[in-house]
Amino acid sequence: MDFVRGLVVRALAGRDKGGFFTVLEASDDMAVICNGKRRSLEHPKRKKQKHLLITKTILEEGSLQTNREIRHALRPFEGKGCFPQEEATVCRNRT
């Protein structure tokens, strides 16, 4: 899957490691990401694509308009610490 606007990704390296973000734009090897909180729409983060893990979720364009909408759309990912669709296989140690 290619990096497209609205794709939900997880940071694999850096101080943002483990956090979920959405892609705002992507080039050959870089992606501009934000999560609406520390990395807002006004101050997004440029990150190499090799440091990002792709999920199967793409957010609608309507949920990328404000920081509040982005935070709300990413909330299901942040709460569990794993991908919602892979909870049974990835997070076995959670009860």
Side-chain angles (χ1 to χ4, degrees), residues 2-95:
D2 293 330
F3 285 83
V4 295
R5 182 173 171 84
L7 179 69
V8 177
V9 296
R10 187 173 197 170
L12 297 175
R15 70 174 57 201
D16 297 325
K17 182 178 180 179
F20 288 94
F21 298 85
T22 186
V23 175
L24 298 178
E25 59 184 71
S27 62
D28 294 333
D29 63 340
M30 299 291 285
V32 178
I33 59 173
C34 78
N35 65 356
K37 193 179 243 181
R38 184 166 185 269
R39 294 294 180 180
S40 64
L41 285 169
E42 295 79 22
H43 302 287
K45 170 77 174 162
R46 287 183 64 225
K47 204 160 184 76
K48 288 189 176 184
Q49 291 180 2
K50 69 179 183 178
H51 296 148
L52 298 171
L53 179 66
I54 296 175
T55 67
K56 298 177 183 177
T57 307
I58 298 178
L59 302 178
E60 296 179 13
E61 187 65 34
S63 63
L64 299 175
Q65 303 302 317
T66 65
N67 291 319
R68 184 178 189 177
E69 291 171 345
I70 292 172
R71 285 192 310 268
H72 182 70
L74 293 175
R75 189 171 296 143
F77 295 94
E78 296 290 343
K80 298 182 182 186
C82 65
F83 300 103
Q85 64 269 24
E86 299 175 359
E87 183 177 357
T89 58
V90 176
C91 297
R92 292 184 185 163
N93 59 348
R94 297 191 182 247
T95 57

